[in-house]
Amino acid sequence: MAISTTNKRKILGVGPSAGAIEEFKQLCEDYEVHMVNRGPRDKVKAEIKRLCETEGPFEAAFLFFANGSYAPMDEELLGPLWQNGNKVGCFAQCGTGYDNVRMNDITAHGCYFTNTPDAVTLATADFTVLLFLSVLRGLTMAERAANLGKNHAEVELTVDPAGLTLGVIGLGRIGKDFVKKCQAFGVNVIYHTRNPLSAEEEEQLDVKYATRDELCRKADVIAVLTPHTSETFHILDHEQFAMMKDGVFIINSSRGPTINEEALIDALKRNKVKRAALDVFENEPAIPDYFKNNPRVTITPHVAAYTKGTIYRGERDAMANVRAFLEQGHPNTPVNGPFQ
């Protein structure tokens, strides 16, 4: 679907826009934008190929949110962006994570890949606080009892957050915002990341660094907020659960594969883990049956960042990356590069 047909520089997008409508209209006034409607992978793949063969040459491309139906973003899907005279130099995606992207395929073409690291911060941190309170106060257990008309009959006394040690794995933008919000409840915070913060920033945030094993041994609550990479795959596995305190609480709002679900289920069955709150899963959209209708497990379908503000900021920032590349030669938030 072509948005405009002029001699302007050309951009290919997959959408449609659902948030930054005015910014999208302005982009279409300044450039010739051709849109592919999101859908099944085969359909999106064919339309990208068709547009690149008939409407190019394209110099930049972007994807809006809700791209899971046609992932991964690899050479098979995106190859036409660099064929038949097309020379896409910036490929922009909404959101922070990019485990759905085959970075080497894009980099091999000398093309920038960009994310929108600020778009999801507030919403994801807010939602992780919700999971934090839910797992400590047994919200799923209480809701189930209320729905069954059991009142207090199936509800146990829960835990106050004040004085607990909160261990956070991953202290990027989202992790820092989450920590600041949780500190209002009186928790002590330790964290683990690949690159520890400076002493000055640790003092400012009132947090202390711990190795992964130290964090697992000391924390009363463990929240995983790290990107999914080869290094963070199953960062919590059988070995880590074994060294945790009995009755530990687990939260995951990062990516499903950061926790070995089999290990978590085993730890829940053995009461090593008291309760868990999960927004992400290893094989989404599938959710293990053990988690469903379990009063000790709060589950949500990867909606931590699912707000109107997130959609607006993500779309706005993705288009700003494309515009910056075309107008200045360098996007605002590149993940790879630089390229000549």
Side-chain angles (χ1 to χ4, degrees):
M1 177 178 64
I3 303 301
S4 63
T5 53
T6 67
N7 292 323
K8 299 173 182 177
R9 300 172 76 178
K10 296 183 179 182
I11 302 170
L12 187 145
V14 183
S17 173
I21 305 298
E22 293 304 315
E23 288 84 349
F24 179 66
K25 290 179 180 177
Q26 187 61 54
L27 189 73
C28 294
E29 289 183 12
D30 297 338
Y31 299 94
E32 182 174 330
V33 181
H34 291 257
M35 293 297 294
V36 176
N37 288 323
R38 65 174 65 93
R41 180 176 172 89
D42 287 348
K43 183 178 179 181
V44 172
K45 175 184 170 183
E47 187 63 5
I48 289 175
K49 184 175 185 294
R50 185 190 70 80
L51 288 174
C52 286
E53 290 177 350
T54 61
E55 302 295 342
F58 294 104
E59 297 182 58
F62 63 84
L63 308 179
F64 286 145
F65 284 106
N67 52 45
S69 65
Y70 54 93
M73 311 311 159
D74 55 11
E75 187 72 20
E76 180 186 56
L77 181 75
L78 304 177
L81 299 179
W82 303 284
Q83 299 169 4
N84 297 308
N86 293 283
K87 48 182 179 179
V88 168
C90 178
F91 181 79
Q93 179 172 273
C94 300
T96 300
Y98 45 88
D99 50 316
N100 63 329
V101 176
R102 303 297 179 260
M103 192 66 64
N104 289 341
D105 291 352
I106 295 174
T107 301
H109 293 285
C111 177
Y112 285 105
F113 171 80
T114 68
N115 63 349
T116 58
D118 293 320
V120 303
T121 298
L122 295 175
T124 304
D126 289 348
F127 197 85
T128 309
V129 173
L130 175 66
L131 296 180
F132 168 78
L133 292 174
S134 175
V135 77
L136 287 180
R137 298 301 308 275
L139 181 61
T140 298
M141 172 183 63
E143 184 179 27
R144 181 174 183 270
N147 284 327
L148 294 174
K150 299 292 186 179
N151 199 11
H152 287 182
E154 293 191 9
V155 175
E156 62 187 53
L157 292 175
T158 57
V159 180
D160 296 314
L164 296 182
T165 296
L166 169 63
V168 181
I169 298 178
L171 206 65
R173 289 174 172 86
I174 296 170
K176 290 174 183 176
D177 195 46
F178 169 66
V179 162
K180 291 176 183 178
K181 290 166 178 172
C182 283
Q183 284 169 332
F185 298 103
V187 297
N188 304 305
V189 180
I190 58 178
Y191 76 97
H192 175 71
T193 61
R194 180 177 58 182
N195 299 309
L197 305 178
S198 67
E200 292 77 13
E201 192 168 11
E202 285 188 350
E203 183 177 1
Q204 181 182 11
L205 292 172
D206 192 18
V207 299
K208 294 181 179 180
Y209 176 79
T211 67
R212 178 180 59 172
D213 290 355
E214 288 173 340
L215 184 148
C216 288
R217 292 190 182 100
K218 294 179 179 179
D220 301 297
V221 187
I222 297 176
V224 182
L225 284 163
T226 184
H228 173 216
T229 67
S230 59
E231 295 178 352
T232 63
F233 175 76
H234 286 182
I235 197 166
L236 295 185
D237 210 332
H238 290 281
E239 181 181 356
Q240 285 69 47
F241 283 108
M243 64 180 66
M244 293 177 191
K245 294 181 177 181
D246 292 338
V248 69
F249 299 93
I250 300 294
I251 301 164
N252 192 4
S253 57
S254 59
R255 288 291 189 269
T258 58
I259 296 180
N260 182 338
E261 285 181 346
E262 290 185 2
L264 174 57
I265 290 171
D266 178 67
L268 282 161
K269 288 179 176 179
R270 293 186 295 105
N271 291 314
K272 169 63 76 169
V273 173
K274 179 70 172 178
R275 284 187 288 274
L278 311 169
D279 185 52
V280 290
F281 307 91
E282 278 205 73
N283 299 297
E284 295 180 11
I287 299 174
D289 289 338
Y290 182 81
F291 296 151
K292 298 177 181 177
N293 300 310
N294 187 329
R296 295 170 56 208
V297 184
T298 297
I299 56 174
T300 51
H302 203 153
V303 294
Y306 201 60
T307 69
K308 293 179 180 179
T310 294
I311 299 301
Y312 169 75
R313 290 187 294 270
E315 291 186 359
R316 177 200 64 193
D317 293 352
M319 289 185 286
N321 271 315
V322 166
R323 186 182 288 277
F325 169 75
L326 292 175
E327 297 175 3
Q328 303 169 22
H330 191 277
N332 298 324
T333 55
V335 174
N336 60 352
F339 302 105
Q340 294 296 329

